Amino acid sequence: MATQTLHFKNRTIKGVIEVPGDKSISHRSIMFGAIADGKTRVWNFLKGQDCLSTWECFQKLGVPISDQGQYLLIEGKGFEGLREPSSILDVGNSGTTSRLLMGILAGRPFHSVLIGDESIAKRPMSRVTAPLRLMGVKIDGRMNGEYTPISIRGGELSSIDYQIPVASAQVKSALLFAAMQASGITELTEKGNTRDHTERMIQYFGGKLEKNGLTIRIDGSAQLEGRDLVVPGDISSAAFFIAAAILAPNSELLIKNVGLNETRTGMITVLERMGANLEIIPHSIDSFEPYGDILVRSSKLQGTEIGGDLIPKLIDEIPILALLATQAEGRTVIKNAEELKVKETNRIDTVANELNKLGCQITPTADGLMIDGVSRLKGGIVDSHGDHRIGMMLAIASLVAEDSVHVQSTEAIDVSFPNFFKALTSTMK
Ligand code: S3P
C-alpha cells in the first residue's frame, strides 16, 4: 500500500494545466462505440483504472478496441455484435461500469457474470436489477440481486413506465441502454436532474429521445452510428485543483478545456456563493458537451448551506467541498446527500473521520455533514480507504496543514487521476 508524505503549507499554486478526460464520458465513449455500427474514435480518453475496467469488459464481449496513440479506436457492430463472454466480467472498483453494463447486457441473448472489488461488493445493485426484472430480464445476485456477483441471462425486453426512486445517472443510463433494446416506448421519470451524458450521447450517435422536465421517452428502435469525439477534462478532477488554488496563498491557476455541462457544475455555483474568486471562460466551439477554461485565484470563503437539487450536480465533489468548508468562515451544512453512503466508501463517515484526525470540526449527520470553520489543520496519518476522491482530498488538505500529512492507500487515486501527484507538484511554486 502506497503512502505519500506531504507538507505543502504556504506553497503557491500557479500556472496553466489540463486535467485528464472526464471519467463518466470516457466510460460511455467505449459503451456507445461498442453498440454503434462502425468506427468510433475517442481523443483524450481517460486511462484511469475505472475506464480500463470498462475497456477490458467490452473486449471480453468481443468488441475490438485499440490504442492508436492519439486516440482510441472502437469497432462496433451494434448491440448484436456483442458476444457471450467466456469468462467473468470484472468491473474492478467501478460503479458506472457495473450499472451501465447491466443495462446493455439485459437485452443480449446470452449469459454473463459481473464481479468487482471489495468496495463494489458492498454497493447497492437492486436499484438497477429490480427495474430490469420488470423489463423481463433474468438477473440475480447475492441478497436477491442487491450485490455482486451478478448473473444476467439477457433476452427479449418489454418497455416500462418507471419512476426512478433515487436521483442516479447510473440507474437512468442503465435503463436507457435497456430501453434502446426493448419493444415499444419506455418512459423514465427521474427523482431529480442528474448528469445527462447518456442522453447527449444517444443523440450524438444518431439515436432519438424526448425529454420533458424529469421525464424521458425513448423507443427500442435505436440505430446508432460510430462517431469521432473529444472527451473534455473532468470537472470532478479539476475540483481538486480549484480547491488547491483557492486554499494556497497568492495563487492563480488556469485549468483548460474542462467539461462545463450544467448537470456537473454544482461546485462552481456553490463556490461562487461562498465568495470564491473564479472566472469561467466557456468555449463557443460546437461539441456534444460544453467545455471551457476555469481561472481560479486564492480566496476567502464563507460557510453556506448545500442541499436539494444541487446535490446530484456536485455529488462527487462533496469530499473536496467539505475540506474547503473547514477553511471558510462560519458553518457549512450539507444535506439531502444520503447517496454519499453508497459511493466507493461511505463518504459521510470517511470525510468526517479522516479530516477530524487532522483537527477539523465535522459532524456527520443522517444525510450529510455539518462543518465548522475556520479550522487550523495539524499534520497526521490519514487513509483514503481505497477511495480515489478521499485520497485526493486528503492530499489537498496538506496545503493548509501545519505539519506533514501522511496519506495512506494513495494507489486508489489511479481510478480517476493517474499522475495526480505529478500534476499537483507541477503547479506548485
Ligand atoms: C456517474 C454518476 C454518479 C457519480 C459517479 C459517476 C455516472 O453516480 O457519482 O461517479 O457516470 O453516471 P450516481 O448517478 O449513481 O449518483
Side-chain angles (χ1 to χ4, degrees):
M1 256 194 289
T3 299
Q4 293 278 343
T5 295
L6 309 168
H7 193 186
F8 293 141
K9 176 94 176 162
N10 290 330
R11 298 290 285 272
T12 287
I13 302 286
K14 274 217 156 57
V16 181
I17 59 154
E18 285 201 48
V19 292
D22 188 275
K23 180 158 80 69
S24 292
I25 298 173
S26 294
H27 281 302
R28 286 163 174 82
S29 69
I30 289 195
M31 295 175 182
F32 277 93
I35 62 170
D37 261 313
K39 292 183 177 168
T40 289
R41 297 189 299 171
V42 184
W43 279 263
N44 203 34
F45 176 84
L46 168 65
K47 286 184 188 155
Q49 274 312 317
D50 266 15
C51 299
L52 297 179
S53 297
T54 294
W55 181 336
E56 215 172 282
C57 288
F58 278 86
Q59 274 181 323
K60 284 191 179 178
L61 290 163
V63 181
I65 305 174
S66 52
D67 189 344
Q68 301 284 326
Q70 291 291 308
Y71 60 88
L72 208 66
L73 174 66
I74 303 140
E75 297 172 74
K77 292 205 187 86
F79 278 108
E80 295 71 32
L82 301 180
R83 295 281 162 263
E84 185 165 66
S86 57
S87 57
I88 287 172
L89 302 171
D90 188 348
V91 304
N93 189 244
S94 176
T96 306
T97 312
S98 59
R99 271 75 173 250
L100 275 56
L101 199 48
M102 283 189 245
I104 292 172
L105 295 174
R108 296 300 84 220
F110 55 68
H111 176 253
S112 40
V113 177
L114 260 61
I115 57 156
D117 67 7
E118 269 173 47
S119 155
I120 279 290
K122 292 188 206 138
R123 298 185 67 182
M125 297 296 166
S126 46
R127 48 183 60 197
V128 176
T129 57
L132 287 180
R133 278 176 183 162
L134 296 178
M135 296 177 86
V137 191
K138 289 197 183 106
I139 185 163
D140 211 344
R142 273 187 307 127
M143 307 283 283
N144 191 26
E146 176 67 327
Y147 299 115
T148 55
I150 297 281
S151 90
I152 307 164
R153 179 160 295 280
E156 304 246 309
L157 297 176
S158 342
S159 53
I160 45 168
D161 282 1
Y162 189 69
Q163 304 249 353
I164 304 173
V166 275
S168 162
Q170 294 183 355
V171 176
K172 171 179 66 178
S173 303
L175 298 181
L176 285 171
F177 280 123
M180 281 193 268
Q181 308 173 72
S183 58
I185 295 174
T186 291
E187 199 171 286
L188 303 172
T189 303
E190 288 198 85
K191 197 176 168 207
N193 254 314
T194 64
R195 63 191 68 192
D196 64 359
H197 306 303
T198 305
E199 295 93 301
R200 283 172 183 268
M201 274 208 196
I202 290 174
Q203 289 169 322
Y204 185 64
F205 279 74
K208 284 197 183 69
L209 54 80
E210 278 171 42
K211 211 163 182 178
N212 192 353
L214 292 174
T215 301
I216 306 171
R217 278 165 62 86
I218 183 165
D219 72 28
S221 62
Q223 287 295 321
L224 305 180
E225 279 171 25
R227 291 282 186 262
D228 282 353
L229 59 101
V230 184
V231 179
D234 197 328
I235 190 159
S236 300
S237 297
F240 298 99
F241 283 83
I242 295 174
I246 286 177
L247 294 175
N250 308 314
S251 296
E252 182 175 292
L253 184 68
L254 182 66
I255 314 173
K256 301 216 30 118
N257 301 324
V258 183
L260 294 174
N261 180 320
E262 64 114 8
T263 60
R264 297 282 300 280
T265 51
M267 175 170 173
I268 292 173
T269 310
V270 167
L271 286 177
E272 282 173 343
R273 198 204 288 158
M274 293 175 85
N277 191 339
L278 292 179
E279 270 177 54
I280 311 299
I281 308 137
H283 289 205
S284 55
I285 300 162
D286 224 17
S287 168
F288 70 113
E289 286 277 352
Y291 70 100
D293 303 339
I294 303 176
L295 181 65
V296 202
R297 298 189 180 93
S298 316
S299 317
K300 289 237 169 312
L301 301 179
Q302 297 295 322
T304 189
E305 205 172 282
I306 309 170
D309 291 347
L310 260 179
I311 294 295
K313 296 183 179 166
L314 47 71
I315 188 74
D316 292 341
E317 286 66 75
I318 291 177
I320 192 68
L321 272 170
L323 171 69
L324 285 166
T326 69
Q327 302 307 299
E329 284 287 341
R331 177 170 282 185
T332 294
V333 178
I334 301 172
K335 56 183 192 180
N336 313 123
E338 45 282 277
E339 273 296 300
L340 290 177
K341 294 182 189 167
V342 291
K343 293 295 176 190
E344 285 81 335
T345 55
N346 175 336
R347 287 185 177 157
I348 292 183
D349 289 349
T350 42
V351 166
N353 291 342
E354 297 309 305
L355 282 178
N356 286 348
K357 284 183 195 166
L358 298 176
C360 297
Q361 290 166 53
I362 305 185
T363 312
T365 64
D367 66 347
L369 296 159
M370 206 167 69
I371 304 147
D372 284 306
V374 175
S375 289
R376 268 173 80 91
L377 267 63
K378 51 186 189 186
I381 301 172
V382 286
D383 200 314
S384 79
H385 295 274
D387 184 333
H388 54 133
R389 300 201 198 281
I390 300 293
M392 288 186 274
M393 178 274 285
L394 293 169
I396 300 298
S398 70
L399 283 162
V400 286
E402 297 298 329
D403 302 306
S404 294
V405 177
H406 307 271
V407 187
Q408 294 178 326
S409 317
T410 50
E411 66 283 347
I413 294 172
D414 284 349
V415 153
S416 63
F417 202 145
N419 299 320
F420 168 75
F421 288 103
K422 203 168 155 207
L424 182 61
T425 47
S426 79
T427 63
M428 285 186 183
K429 302 286 171 296

